[in-house]
Each structure stands twice: as structure tokens, then as C-alpha cells.
Amino acid sequence: MSARASWSGQLAFVLAAAASAIGLGNLWRFPYLAAHYGGGVFIAMYLLLALTLGGALLITEIALGRKSRQSQLTVFGALGHSRWNWLGLAATLVPFLILPYYCVIGGWVVKYFCAYASAVLGGGNPLASPDVFFKAFIGAPWSPYVFFLIFTAGTMGVILLGVKRGIEQVNLLLMPLLLVMAFALALYVATRPGAGAGIRFYLVPDFANCPNLGKVILGAMGQMFYSLSLAMGIMITYGSYMRRDDSIPRSVVGVVFSDLAVAVLAGFMVVPAVVAFAAQSGAEGSRAAIEAGPGLMFVTLPKVFATLGVAGAWVGLAFFLLVLFAAFTSAISMTEACVAAVGDRFHCSRRLSVGAVTVTVLVLGAFSAFGYGRWSMLKPFGMPMLDFFDFFANSLMCPVVAAATCIFVGWVLGPRTVVDECSFGGKFRMEGLYSVTMRYLAPVLVIAILVSEVCRYFGWGGWSI
Ligand code: PHE
């Protein structure tokens, strides 16, 4: 068996974990949640939660991976607790369920990028009626699957190249480009006429329009899990490639702050643009426009770009390239978690495990890709297939995996093991806080998310967020 791959250093690890964390969640979900939950109130709450609970969970996953040198499927057995192998299996199922539909959305982004590229080349106006364009595209007989294939092929290509030559190199190239583009776009939007109102709307705490604090906390916590790529084995796998002399706590601080920075920046880009547009067109109120949910990225923003005339084609092109980079590096991290799990369990070559994961993604992805068109009659619990996968994996399985991981570390393995692992790259100062978080705080908060997610989907009571 060949030696386990490893990152070339701490920077490579931080970059990889940040590249996984920074994705669609930062660019689209954070701005819209922040606007929904009273601006500054939400941002402050998110920061607090990410640094405490998020940090503790990140530390845990990375330390478990590094100590065992295994990915999520085999980590519990390797640590001498084979009775917890079911948890490894659950944590492996999550990326296997999310990756296919994430690649379908990645395909949508490729499609939009191509549409803006052809607008730029043709010198014409960008997408004149985005609503029609979006509906026609996702409902088309073949194109959603074709674009999904393109996105998936790119992802698998990078994974085949391996940890150092594939993942690391791509992150080194794409992450700086992503940051520069995000800055440039935010600056462009912030200097447009009427941007001030949008920035106020985004940042100033708005207690009148802010639902109760419990909901803000739940909303911020749900976003934090998704945004930090927690509870899907990714950080365990990435941790298993980390060298012993690198510091886990320091790396985690780097990851949390870069994730937050891009999320906040995305808000500067998205919120003022949409608010200014809504005020101009007078068609919808700012609040309604910003809360358009997933449509925000594929319908509302393209509408904003359309008002910019020829410049709009360029802005759209830059925006969707930025989104593409973010989605691509996140998909890569999920794929690596799946590939590593198969490799660690069956001791097969990387090529073979990439092949197995690819086949699974192509089959499961078909359900989501065709789910708004030729297979739209498949509606489990009344949801289109993509929404169903998202609900099942993200809203149900992730909190279960996260809660069980906290209980495992807090009460079975003992926080000491993680603390010891964290002390390799320097002294770990937050030992007490860490233990209390893992034993009491984290399980309670995580179970609260689970309950609220279930209530949301079934429309039960006021607990839904
Ligand atoms: N963290 C990513 C984001 O913010 C999404 C993601 C989810 C990535 C699951 C990997 C796994 O968009």
C-alpha cells in the first residue's frame, strides 16, 4: 500500500479547508440570511458562533483525521471504537448524497457563465428575461445533464491528479483569483449610485424587522454548519493529510476568518446591487427581492446585470466565474471525502475509487438534473428531487452526524484525545472551553437545529426558521 498523501505545509492545508468552506453558501446564502435576520445582528451572532461552536467542531474533525490518518468511514474503528462505525457510514453517506446535486448546481453556474461569455463576445445585452431563461434551462430535456457532466468531469480530473498535484495546485491558483474578483465586484457595486441605502440595509442592525433571537441563532447556526463544511467527513479527510508539526488551532482560526471574510464581502456585492435595483424598478420591495431564495443568484442578480447594459455582460461574466471557482473547489473537497473513504475501506487504487465515486455521482446526479424537466413527476414529500436530497442530507443527516460526533468525542473518546492531538503544533490554550463546548453546548444546540429543520419542512409551529 502506498504511503498516505499529505499537504505540503500548513498554508496548503488552510487554503484547502478554506476553499472547501468558501462556496455557494458564502456567496448566496449568507447575504440573503443576513438581510433577512436584521443585518448586523445576524453578522455578529454568526461571528460569535463560528468562533466558538464552529471552531470547536472544526478542531474536532481535523484532529480525529490527523490522529487516525483515516477518512470518516474508517476513523472510528482506527481509534479503537468499531461500535461507532455506523457514524462513519452516516458521515460518508452525506457527501455521497450532496455531491451529485451540488454538481448539478455547478452545471447551472457553467451554463450561466457560458451565456454571459457569449453576450460579451457578441457585444450584446446579457440575458433579457432571466426568469424565462432559468425555467427553460432547468426544465430542458438534456442541457442540465450536459452541463452537470462538464462540471463533474472537471472535478474528477483534479481529484485524479491527487492531493498535492491536483487539489493543492488548483486552490493555489483559484483562491487568490476568487478573492481579487470578490473585492473588485464589491467595490464596483459599492460605488454605484444608490448603493448607500443597500449597505445600510445590510449592516445596520434592524431590530424591528428581526425575528426573535432564537430564530436568529438557529439561522446563524445552520448557515455555519453548511458554510464551514462540517459534519460531512471533509475536514476529517483533509485532517488526515495534515502533518503533525502544523498547528490545528491556528489553522482553524485561519479557516473561520477567511470563510467569514468572503461571506461578508459577498454581502457588499449582492445586497446593495439588489436593493438599488429594486428601488429603481419599483417592481418589488428590497426585502422581497433579496429574499428570493435560490432564485436570487440565477434570476434576481441577472435582472440587475441586465439593467447595466453592455457593462452588465462583463459584470455577469465576472460574477459567475467567481461563483464557479467557489463551487468548484467545494465540490473538489466533497469528492475527496468520498474517494478517500472508498480507498481507506477497500484499500484500492485512487483510480478505482475515483471511478466508483464518478459512477455514483453520474447516476444520482441524473435524478436532480432531470428533476425539473423530464423526471419532474418524481416528487418525494412533494419536493423536486434536488430539494429532497438537500433536505435529507443537509437538514436531517448533518445535524444527526454532528450531534453524534459531539457525543462520541465528549463522552466516549474524551476531549483529552483531541486536546493532546492539538498540542502537537504548540500549546492548546482553550482546553476547558473546548471540553465544555463538546460535552454540553454543542449537542444541545445541534439537536435544536435538527428539530427546527424538521418543523420548517413540515410547517409545524413557530419553531421553523
Ligand atoms: N461550505 C460550502 C459553502 O459554503 C458548501 C459545501 C457544503 C461544501 C458541503 C462542501 C460540502 O458553500
Side-chain angles (χ1 to χ4, degrees):
M1 211 173 56
S2 53
R4 194 168 192 81
S6 74
W7 306 111
S8 47
Q10 181 154 330
L11 183 68
F13 171 78
V14 174
L15 209 56
S20 169
I22 297 168
L24 297 175
N26 303 56
L27 298 179
W28 146 68
R29 207 162 174 264
F30 184 88
Y32 118 76
L33 283 177
H36 179 66
Y37 286 117
V41 186
F42 178 85
I43 300 176
M45 192 55 74
Y46 183 86
L47 181 66
L48 189 74
L49 278 170
L51 279 177
T52 51
L53 183 62
L57 290 168
L58 266 179
I59 284 179
T60 305
E61 292 201 9
I62 297 168
L64 292 183
R66 188 169 78 174
K67 183 168 177 61
S68 64
R69 301 248 154 250
Q70 292 291 305
S71 59
Q72 71 280 11
L73 183 57
T74 39
V75 66
F76 299 97
L79 293 173
H81 294 274
S82 335
R83 287 179 61 196
W84 286 75
N85 278 341
W86 64 270
L87 179 54
L89 192 63
T92 306
L93 222 57
V94 176
F96 264 104
L97 289 175
I98 295 185
L99 180 62
Y101 81 75
Y102 203 86
C103 288
V104 170
I105 300 178
W108 297 357
V109 179
V110 176
K111 168 75 181 179
Y112 271 70
F113 175 75
C114 294
Y116 281 105
S118 77
V120 164
L121 291 176
N125 273 340
L127 318 183
S129 42
D131 329 48
V132 181
F133 181 86
F134 184 55
K135 275 221 184 77
F137 168 60
I138 61 171
W142 286 107
S143 6
Y145 199 74
V146 172
F147 282 94
F148 155 74
L149 283 181
I150 298 172
F151 186 87
T152 309
T155 310
M156 296 302 167
V158 173
I159 293 294
L160 266 182
L161 286 174
V163 173
K164 261 198 197 125
R165 281 200 316 133
I167 306 179
E168 241 184 77
Q169 296 300 319
V170 167
N171 291 337
L172 207 58
L173 178 72
L174 297 192
M175 293 314 282
L177 283 176
L178 183 147
L179 265 186
V180 170
M181 280 195 296
F183 261 115
L185 278 172
L187 205 67
Y188 175 78
V189 170
T191 50
R192 296 289 88 195
I199 293 178
R200 267 195 303 282
F201 183 75
Y202 175 47
L203 289 184
V204 177
D206 175 8
F207 291 100
N209 265 314
C210 163
N212 69 51
L213 198 63
K215 287 191 178 188
V216 178
I217 295 179
L218 280 177
M221 210 156 44
Q223 167 65 7
M224 185 200 79
F225 267 98
Y226 185 73
S227 194
L228 291 178
S229 309
L230 287 167
M232 20 197 128
I234 294 172
M235 296 300 167
I236 299 184
T237 298
Y238 273 14
S240 75
Y241 304 143
M242 194 183 190
R243 299 180 316 181
R244 269 272 154 80
D245 37 5
D246 292 335
S247 158
I248 295 179
R250 266 203 296 278
S251 306
V252 163
V253 172
V255 176
V256 170
F257 274 108
S258 32
D259 184 57
L260 183 76
V262 176
V264 171
L265 207 56
F268 276 107
M269 190 160 86
V270 172
V271 181
V274 175
V275 169
F277 163 75
Q280 248 174 41
S281 67
E284 312 154 285
S286 337
R287 191 158 280 277
I290 199 83
E291 284 172 15
L296 174 65
M297 181 167 278
F298 295 104
V299 177
T300 316
L301 280 175
K303 278 188 193 164
V304 177
F305 302 152
T307 62
L308 301 174
V310 179
W314 284 100
V315 175
L317 187 73
F319 178 76
F320 280 101
L321 189 62
L322 166 75
V323 179
L324 185 60
F325 287 174
F328 189 51
T329 50
S330 292
I332 286 174
S333 72
M334 252 181 288
T335 312
E336 182 60 30
C338 296
V339 167
V342 174
D344 285 345
R345 172 67 183 76
F346 298 105
H347 305 291
C348 54
S349 70
R350 190 169 179 84
R351 275 192 166 177
L352 200 62
S353 25
V354 174
V357 173
T358 308
V359 172
T360 317
V361 170
L362 294 184
V363 173
L364 285 184
F367 288 94
S368 297
F370 295 133
Y372 299 97
R374 51 174 68 224
W375 291 354
S376 56
M377 62 289 189
L378 299 177
K379 281 232 165 73
F381 297 99
M383 303 175 215
M385 285 308 289
L386 192 150
D387 305 48
F388 172 71
F389 280 124
D390 182 49
F391 170 60
F392 186 70
N394 246 322
S395 306
L396 289 185
M397 288 195 65
C398 277
V400 171
V401 169
T405 308
C406 295
I407 292 169
F408 172 76
V409 171
W411 299 94
V412 179
L413 184 72
R416 183 84 253 154
T417 313
V418 170
V419 169
D420 287 345
E421 186 62 35
C422 285
S423 310
F424 276 110
K427 186 162 166 39
F428 182 40
R429 288 174 215 285
M430 313 273 225
E431 200 179 325
L433 184 66
Y434 174 78
S435 303
V436 174
T437 306
M438 291 309 289
R439 296 187 127 201
Y440 305 102
L441 191 66
V444 172
L445 288 177
V446 172
I447 289 169
I449 301 191
L450 180 63
V451 173
S452 91
E453 286 286 348
V454 172
C455 291
R456 177 154 70 108
Y457 273 90
F458 294 102
W460 293 332
W463 263 104
S464 51
I465 47 175

